[in-house]
């Protein structure tokens, strides 16, 4: 089905007016760099909590703001406080800003979407690369381009996220921000993270840990993520999830660095997880075959049986 979507998309492009030749080729050949095993201590210390927050973002805004999201809320413990929530569970995907005293952080989490809609958004809707919004990214170079649909979605909540995070840092006195999200929420979170880095006081420590990230922009966008966020940026990919490989590199899209790949998992959670140096590392999701693509892998499990869905939300 995915193959068909990609073919249909390439066909549609071939019918369109000839695209202008890019100033320089942005297509980068995949690298095959040796991966390293991620220890359980890193998974438990750095990845599980962001995954739990990303999963909470799948509950309705009503369930999240009233903190009545059952097991999904209980999993992060009793001290988390929701400071702000926005979005409408529809065209404007939900996000929330929370205080997490256990990690002395402010958390920004973005709602995702299911595998079918993220594949269709990434491949069919507003697939064109457009210039980055320089109001929100004052220090970005002029060649930076991102997916039109992702940027439009990001713009609908960007102002609220920036002012909300400023208020949250102010009211809690926290010096750390965690940005997280899954799927479409990961795409928006990656844009949020660069915006926050450019607009917050440099003394604030920003960590971005996101799940099932589609390709968001061109090589210059990937470079902007790498240079602004460096090793504080991690995007976790699960087995044969096709989402991290759309839209295709053929159209100029490139993933930033920081991939961590779940090589194998069972119902209890991840069994083997590796860090993937470089970008588009062939030993990780870029090496996945479309023929083996599993849309179920997009949902999880991401460590300890964490599946990204609202199925366990009470309402
Ligand atoms: C990654 O790719 C390189 C080059 O193809 C290969 O030597 C290496 O064994 C691969 N696998 C891992 C797990 O690093
Ligand atoms: C940039 O984003 C802001 C939202 O913060 C929006 O008001 C503005 O129209 C966007 N600029 C462009 C050129 O789309
Ligand atoms: C929060 O904002 C108020 C009003 O702008 C300011 O007076 C105060 O110093 C700020 N507090 C912190 C912790 O930044
Ligand atoms: C999953 O794999 C782990 C580690 O190999 C094993 O201990 C566990 O029993 C497996 N769980 C299931 C449900 O297969
Ligand atoms: C994993 O979670 C699912 C629900 O998300 C549940 O049905 C299943 O029993 C869990 N499996 C284990 C081994 O905990």
């Amino acid at each position: 089905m995915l193959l068909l979507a990609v073919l249909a998309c390439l066909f549609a492009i071939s019918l369109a007016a000839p695209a202008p030749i890019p100033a320089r080729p942005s297509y980068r050949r995949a690298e095959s760099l040796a991966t390293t095993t991620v220890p359980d201590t890193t998974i438990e210390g750095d990845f599980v909590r962001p995954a739990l927050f990303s999963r909470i973002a799948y509950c309705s805004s009503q369930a999240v703001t009233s903190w009545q999201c059952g097991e999904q809320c209980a999993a992060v413990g009793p001290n988390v406080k929701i400071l702000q929530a926005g979005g409408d569970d529809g065209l404007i995907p939900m996000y929330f800003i929370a205080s997490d005293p256990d990690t002395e952080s402010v958390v920004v989490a973005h709602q995702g979407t299911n595998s079918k809609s993220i594949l269709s958004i990434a491949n069919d809707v507003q697939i064109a690369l457009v210039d980055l919004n320089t109001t929100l990214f004052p220090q970005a170079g002029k060649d930076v381009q991102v997916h039109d649909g992702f940027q439009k979605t990001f713009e609908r909540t960007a102002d609220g996220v920036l002012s909300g995070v400023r208020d949250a840092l102010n009211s809690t006195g926290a010096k750390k921000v965690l940005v997280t999200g899954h799927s479409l929420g990961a795409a928006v979170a990656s844009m949020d993270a660069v915006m926050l880095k450019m607009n917050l006081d440099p003394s604030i420590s920003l960590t971005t840990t996101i799940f099932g990230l589609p390709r968001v922009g061109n090589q210059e966008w990937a470079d902007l993520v790498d240079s602004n966020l460096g090793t504080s940026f991690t995007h976790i990919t699960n087995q044969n999830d096709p989402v991290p490989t759309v839209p295709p590199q053929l159209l100029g899209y490139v993933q930033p660095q920081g991939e961590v790949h779940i090589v194998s998992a069972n119902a209890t959670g991840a069994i083997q997880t590796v860090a993937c140096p470089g970008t588009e590392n062939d030993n990780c999701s870029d090496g996945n075959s479309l023929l083996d693509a599993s849309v179920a892998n997009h949902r999880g499990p991401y460590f300890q049986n964490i599946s990204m869905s609202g199925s366990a939300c009470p309402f």
Side-chain angles (χ1 to χ4, degrees), residues 93-179:
M94 225 265 290
Y95 72 92
F96 66 82
I97 298 174
S99 161
D100 182 16
D102 296 357
T103 59
E104 299 178 318
S105 302
V106 164
V107 177
V108 182
H110 281 275
Q111 183 182 33
T113 184
N114 65 41
S115 321
K116 216 174 132 196
S117 32
I118 185 64
L119 286 169
S120 100
I121 294 166
N123 280 314
D124 304 338
V125 185
Q126 300 163 326
I127 196 171
L129 284 162
V130 296
D131 290 343
L132 194 66
N133 183 326
T134 49
T135 312
L136 296 165
F137 298 93
Q139 294 106 304
K142 69 174 174 49
D143 296 330
V144 181
Q145 293 195 312
V146 290
H147 184 280
D148 192 14
F150 294 157
Q151 171 152 272
K152 286 202 167 85
T153 306
F154 155 77
E155 281 171 348
R156 292 185 193 117
T157 56
D159 293 334
V161 167
L162 180 56
S163 63
V165 169
R166 282 192 169 126
D167 290 350
L169 290 169
N170 182 301
S171 66
T172 62
K175 300 283 176 234
K176 292 189 272 184
V177 177
L178 167 70
V179 184

Side-chain angles (χ1 to χ4, degrees), residues 45-309:
D46 298 344
F47 300 155
V48 167
R49 204 163 178 80
L52 295 173
F53 277 112
S54 283
R55 187 177 63 173
I56 289 171
Y58 271 94
C59 295
S60 68
S61 44
Q62 199 196 350
V64 174
T65 38
S66 60
W67 204 243
Q68 292 181 338
C69 56
E71 280 173 37
Q72 321 253 87
C73 285
V76 293
N79 301 323
V80 171
K81 287 211 163 40
I82 299 296
L83 302 175
Q84 187 183 316
D88 61 5
D89 291 332
L91 188 63
I92 310 178
M94 225 265 290
Y95 72 92
F96 66 82
I97 298 174
S99 161
D100 182 16
D102 296 357
T103 59
E104 299 178 318
S105 302
V106 164
V107 177
V108 182
H110 281 275
Q111 183 182 33
T113 184
N114 65 41
S115 321
K116 216 174 132 196
S117 32
I118 185 64
L119 286 169
S120 100
I121 294 166
N123 280 314
D124 304 338
V125 185
Q126 300 163 326
I127 196 171
L129 284 162
V130 296
D131 290 343
L132 194 66
N133 183 326
T134 49
T135 312
L136 296 165
F137 298 93
Q139 294 106 304
K142 69 174 174 49
D143 296 330
V144 181
Q145 293 195 312
V146 290
H147 184 280
D148 192 14
F150 294 157
Q151 171 152 272
K152 286 202 167 85
T153 306
F154 155 77
E155 281 171 348
R156 292 185 193 117
T157 56
D159 293 334
V161 167
L162 180 56
S163 63
V165 169
R166 282 192 169 126
D167 290 350
L169 290 169
N170 182 301
S171 66
T172 62
K175 300 283 176 234
K176 292 189 272 184
V177 177
L178 167 70
V179 184
T180 190
H182 167 250
S183 190
L184 177 61
V188 174
S190 71
M191 301 195 72
D192 267 7
V194 176
M195 170 187 74
L196 290 169
K197 187 72 192 176
M198 288 181 172
N199 289 282
L200 292 179
D201 190 280
S203 68
I204 301 298
S205 151
L206 180 76
T207 302
T208 311
T209 306
I210 55 184
F211 303 86
L213 174 72
R215 294 191 180 109
V216 170
N218 65 357
Q219 179 69 63
E220 286 77 5
W221 166 255
D223 292 345
L224 194 71
V225 173
D226 297 346
S227 61
N228 277 275
L229 307 179
T231 56
S232 72
F233 177 87
T234 306
H235 76 99
I236 293 161
T237 59
N238 184 35
Q239 300 174 89
N240 284 311
D241 177 6
V243 172
T245 60
V246 297
Q249 281 186 280
L250 207 61
L251 298 182
Y253 284 89
V254 182
Q255 284 282 16
Q257 292 181 16
E259 180 177 3
V260 163
H261 185 62
I262 297 172
V263 178
S264 58
N266 64 16
T268 324
I271 295 172
Q272 195 198 352
T273 304
V274 297
C276 316
T279 62
E280 304 292 359
N281 189 328
D282 236 1
N283 281 331
C284 296
S285 49
D286 188 52
N288 284 353
S289 157
L290 272 182
L291 299 175
D292 300 328
S294 158
V295 291
N297 284 167
H298 185 55
R299 197 163 55 234
Y302 294 93
F303 317 118
Q304 301 183 3
N305 195 23
I306 304 169
S307 271
M308 300 294 174
S309 88

Side-chain angles (χ1 to χ4, degrees), residues 1-12 119 123-124 290-291 293:
M1 196 197 85
L2 170 73
L3 191 60
L4 283 179
V6 171
L7 289 177
C9 156
L10 291 176
F11 181 64
L119 286 169
N123 280 314
D124 304 338
L290 272 182
L291 299 175

